[in-house]
Amino acid sequence: MADSKFSRRNFLQVGLGASAGFALWELYRLGISNKINRNTASLRAFNEIGLDQGQLRKLLDTALAGGGEYADIFLENSLSSYIAFDGEQFQNSGLECVSGAAVRVTSRGCTSFRAVSDLSWESLAQAAREAGASARAGVRVQMPELKPLQVPNLYPCAAPALFESMSEKKRIVSRVVESAKNAYQYVHFALANYRDTLRFLTVATSDGISAYDTQPFLKIIISVAAFNPDSGKKGLGFFNGGGHYGLEYFKEHSPERLGQRAAQIARSQLEAVEAPSGQLPVVLGPAYSGVLMHEAVGHGLEADFNLKGYSTYSGRIGEIVASPLCTIYDDGRRAGLNGSINFDDEGVASSRTLLIERGRLVGYMHSRETGAKMKLPLTGNGRRQAFNYPPLPRMTNTYLEKGETPHDEIIRSVKSGIYAPAFAGGSVNITTGDFTFVPIEAYLIENGRLTAPLANVMLLGNGPELLNRVTMVGDDLEISDNLWECGKQGQMIPVTVGTPTIKVETMTVGGGFKT
């Protein structure tokens, strides 16, 4: 692909077809001159190919014709550009697209789902007929007029990165790579991957909602390998950044900082000593260690697991499940974050959902299906990877609320223990809450001070037990600027995590883990 901004030909060559290509090109042309509201750009995108509110209402009416109780339509046009740097040179770059629709019909507790990649009227009408064919509720639902969902725009992006020149994006990637190489003498290569996306989404529902969204997004990943020939030690570091931003993201989060952070993680591994083992106090650092809360606690609070009785939190609303120092939210309304959404993929406005309040379990995260079956309010957590996946209850931005104790005081309270500020990920058993996590950066705490970096650390435990062993919560809540992708039932979606510094009285530390 040429190192220039998008041309009209670019839009027509990425596989959307002529009608969609012309529509998106017109949106781009108007968008850069600020003649349209980007929050309603999706409405224009689909109107241009004949899918206005009248047509959407007809499709929903077709889907309900067999006796369905509820129906919805999800439409998506997504465009992405990408760049890969293989350690020595730019390996490839280009454009990708995702385009299609899904129709869903529910009847007597059962759901029928049909997805198509062809956005022609004939294809959509056939999908609506097929989705509604198995519905036998015995009651003909009358379709109301569709009314646009009014929500604030959480993506304060002046110009989507998709429309910027590839040469400018390559310069940013080069700055990240060079800063990583220059940050530490033993770094011997650095890999980088960049991607930006612009998603045009429309959701229409049989209860009269039409929702339109335009989601800008970018992500850059830097991976660093370091090697000390004298000691023979190796170190791997990686870091990423981005969210619902354009290239203005790099003004606040410099490319140099991203590269240096990845190199710092690799350096800590080269200079590390073997971790101790046993039951030890563990201090989890702010921001990035929120992924442990996400995995060990958050998934267990998604309503589908609780509806089926699979979660350790099933049937426990109102019970004490954590230390009284713990209050946990899932908040999809925080502007610009990786997991933020104006509304979910079922046309429900995102919300700030209180899950655990001062140790007491007060709620779950719901999709339309789980909310209906459990007769509880919707929380705006019905999410899907793309048009051809059904929505599931999923997290957005999940975090532990801040406490009152300064970070340094928490460190000083530990005579001998572990400080873990960054994680590579881990695994959790939803039914039992048991987890295993691997910090990519950890330090020994000795007499209230951080001393040696540690290598090959594993943290093992149980989510509910971990929350009950929290004895101190910091006043330094941070939301991670590292981007996370969450997997569930074969679907990957963007999420964000956050936490203040917290002290866990004891946790099983397994040393000697080899990366």
Side-chain angles (χ1 to χ4, degrees):
M1 178 182 172
D3 286 344
S4 61
K5 290 194 174 185
F6 266 79
S7 68
R8 183 169 175 270
R9 178 176 293 181
N10 292 145
F11 276 100
L12 301 181
Q13 288 180 339
V14 293
L16 288 170
S19 60
F22 281 123
L24 295 178
W25 168 253
E26 180 66 10
L27 285 168
Y28 166 53
R29 188 182 67 78
L30 292 173
I32 61 173
S33 61
N34 292 314
K35 290 183 179 179
I36 62 170
N37 180 345
R38 290 185 180 85
N39 197 32
T40 60
S42 184
L43 174 61
R44 291 283 300 273
F46 292 104
N47 279 0
E48 291 289 337
I49 56 176
L51 295 175
D52 58 17
Q53 289 198 25
Q55 297 288 71
L56 292 173
R57 190 170 180 270
K58 288 180 182 179
L59 287 173
L60 289 169
D61 202 51
T62 299
L64 293 170
E69 299 168 317
Y70 169 83
D72 61 27
I73 299 169
F74 180 88
L75 302 165
E76 175 179 8
N77 269 332
S78 295
L79 290 168
S80 300
S81 74
Y82 61 89
I83 301 170
F85 184 87
D86 67 358
E88 296 182 356
Q89 61 185 355
F90 286 102
Q91 189 175 32
N92 55 57
S93 62
L95 296 171
E96 291 179 350
C97 75
V98 173
S99 180
V103 182
R104 180 176 61 160
V105 179
T106 59
S107 175
R108 296 180 178 177
C110 297
T111 299
S112 180
F113 180 85
R114 293 292 184 274
V116 293
S117 56
D118 179 0
L119 290 178
S120 69
W121 175 257
E122 293 76 12
S123 175
L124 292 170
Q126 179 66 21
R129 287 190 292 270
E130 291 177 355
S134 60
R136 294 292 183 269
V139 178
R140 183 68 166 90
V141 174
Q142 296 299 313
M143 265 298 304
E145 293 295 326
L146 295 177
K147 295 182 179 180
L149 180 68
Q150 300 297 325
V151 292
N153 183 20
L154 300 173
Y155 324 131
C157 175
L162 179 73
F163 299 139
E164 302 295 339
S165 69
M166 293 296 276
S167 58
E168 177 60 23
K169 298 170 190 178
K170 287 182 177 180
R171 280 193 289 271
I172 290 171
V173 173
S174 294
R175 288 171 60 188
V176 173
V177 170
E178 288 305 310
S179 67
K181 291 180 177 179
N182 295 332
Y184 184 43
Q185 62 179 323
Y186 294 126
V187 170
H188 68 96
F189 76 86
L191 307 176
N193 287 279
Y194 169 93
R195 175 177 289 269
D196 55 49
T197 301
L198 188 60
R199 299 182 78 203
F200 297 94
L201 306 177
T202 289
V203 181
T205 71
S206 62
D207 53 7
I209 295 295
S210 59
Y212 307 94
D213 206 5
T214 305
Q215 298 179 348
F217 180 78
L218 69 81
K219 182 175 185 176
I220 186 165
I221 304 171
I222 176 71
S223 301
V224 172
F227 175 70
N228 185 336
D230 297 326
S231 66
K233 284 188 174 182
K234 299 177 181 179
L236 297 175
F238 59 88
F239 202 68
N240 63 49
H244 289 296
Y245 303 101
L247 296 186
E248 76 277 0
Y249 173 82
F250 297 104
K251 294 180 180 179
E252 185 174 345
H253 306 82
S254 74
E256 287 73 22
R257 176 185 173 275
L258 296 174
Q260 290 163 5
R261 187 70 178 92
Q264 177 187 346
I265 293 171
R267 178 175 184 170
S268 71
Q269 295 177 10
L270 257 68
E271 299 176 352
V273 300
E274 289 296 323
S277 299
Q279 292 290 320
L280 295 168
V282 174
V283 177
L284 301 174
Y288 310 111
S289 57
V291 70
L292 192 151
M293 294 290 178
H294 169 102
E295 294 288 355
V297 180
H299 276 299
L301 299 178
E302 292 169 334
D304 52 346
F305 292 130
N306 291 279
L307 183 64
K308 297 172 183 177
Y310 294 162
S311 171
T312 185
Y313 296 104
S314 297
R316 300 184 64 187
I317 295 291
E319 293 184 17
I320 297 296
V321 296
S323 159
L325 298 174
C326 294
T327 294
I328 297 177
Y329 289 94
D330 183 84
D331 186 358
R333 302 184 308 181
R334 298 178 74 102
L337 295 182
N338 193 43
S340 297
I341 47 177
N342 290 331
F343 55 85
D344 71 5
D345 296 326
E346 300 179 302
V348 179
S350 61
S351 66
R352 184 172 186 251
T353 304
L354 180 61
L355 302 171
I356 295 175
E357 183 177 26
R358 298 180 181 179
R360 188 181 302 275
L361 180 62
V362 297
Y364 302 128
M365 291 166 278
H366 287 285
S367 64
R368 283 183 179 269
E369 181 180 8
T370 62
K373 289 181 177 179
M374 299 178 80
K375 295 180 171 58
L376 291 170
L378 302 180
T379 60
N381 289 93
R383 305 185 66 192
R384 64 181 99 199
Q385 177 175 315
F387 74 91
N388 52 337
Y389 292 87
L392 302 169
R394 306 294 300 273
M395 285 173 274
T396 58
N397 308 307
T398 311
Y399 62 92
L400 178 73
E401 186 58 281
K402 70 178 181 180
E404 300 179 352
T405 309
H407 168 90
D408 291 346
E409 184 176 328
I410 295 176
I411 299 295
R412 287 196 299 268
S413 73
V414 178
K415 183 176 181 181
S416 178
I418 304 292
Y419 176 61
F423 288 80
S427 61
V428 62
N429 183 315
I430 298 297
T431 303
T432 64
D434 294 335
F435 64 80
T436 302
F437 276 86
V438 181
I440 57 173
E441 189 178 17
Y443 299 88
L444 192 63
I445 305 177
E446 296 178 289
N447 297 317
R449 294 175 58 250
L450 300 184
T451 56
L454 298 175
N456 308 322
V457 181
M458 278 197 305
L459 299 180
L460 302 91
N462 177 275
E465 289 180 9
L466 178 146
L467 288 185
N468 277 290
R469 292 178 181 175
V470 172
T471 58
M472 303 177 84
V473 176
D475 60 2
D476 56 347
L477 170 64
E478 292 183 30
I479 305 299
S480 169
D481 60 351
N482 196 326
L483 304 190
W484 306 91
E485 286 194 337
C486 174
K488 179 178 177 180
Q489 296 183 29
Q491 298 193 44
M492 301 297 293
I493 61 167
V495 298
T496 307
V497 302
T499 183
T501 302
I502 64 172
K503 177 183 175 181
V504 182
E505 184 177 24
T506 59
M507 192 183 301
T508 301
V509 178
F513 177 80
K514 302 297 183 183
T515 55

